[in-house]
Every structure is written in C-alpha cells, then in structure tokens.
Amino acid sequence: MPDVTRERVRDELLRMEEDCIHSGKAHFNASARWAVWNYVFGIPSVILSTAAGAAFSRTILSPRVLWRFALPSSRR
C-alpha cells in the first residue's frame, strides 16, 4: 500500500474515533435527561396496575363469582 493511501486511512480512522467519542458522550448525556421520564411514567404505572390488580382480585374472589363456578351448569 502506498504511503499516501496509508496516511489517508490512518487520518480517517482517527477522525472516526473522535466522532465515536463525541457520539458516546452525547448518548450518555441524553440518558440523564430520559432517566427523569423513567420515574415520571414508571411510578404512576405501578400504582395504577396495583389498583387494577386489586380490583380484579376483589371481583373474581367475591362469593357471588366463586359460587357461579362451584354450582353445576344446570343451575346457572
């Protein structure tokens, strides 16, 4: 490989390395901003899903619903 081509390849690789470093820093900084939104959406979704699960459990475990499954099908 001629020396000129080798030098150009080396320069391009150095430029690409620098671009990757800057890109990595930008992604790291963006993740810090999105970490806040993780809590903004995450905590209410946990609370709402807990309430929905409790309401479902209360409904499905009520005596009226349990007796419906316990009785033979001819009495429904």
Side-chain angles (χ1 to χ4, degrees):
M1 199 186 272
D3 288 338
V4 174
T5 306
R6 193 178 298 243
E7 188 66 29
R8 286 182 182 169
V9 169
R10 184 181 149 301
D11 290 342
E12 182 64 22
L13 289 174
L14 289 173
R15 188 190 65 76
M16 287 174 60
E17 180 183 21
E18 184 179 354
D19 287 346
C20 290
I21 290 171
H22 290 296
S23 179
K25 287 180 183 178
H27 282 99
F28 182 76
N29 291 335
S31 72
R33 282 184 304 213
W34 285 105
V36 172
W37 290 105
N38 182 33
Y39 290 109
V40 168
F41 290 120
I43 292 173
S45 68
V46 168
I47 293 169
L48 292 174
S49 64
T50 303
F56 176 76
S57 296
R58 188 180 71 194
T59 302
I60 200 71
L61 295 177
S62 70
R64 180 178 291 168
V65 173
L66 288 176
W67 276 110
R68 180 183 292 174
F69 293 109
L71 295 175
S73 61
S74 62
R75 295 181 139 200
R76 287 187 189 173

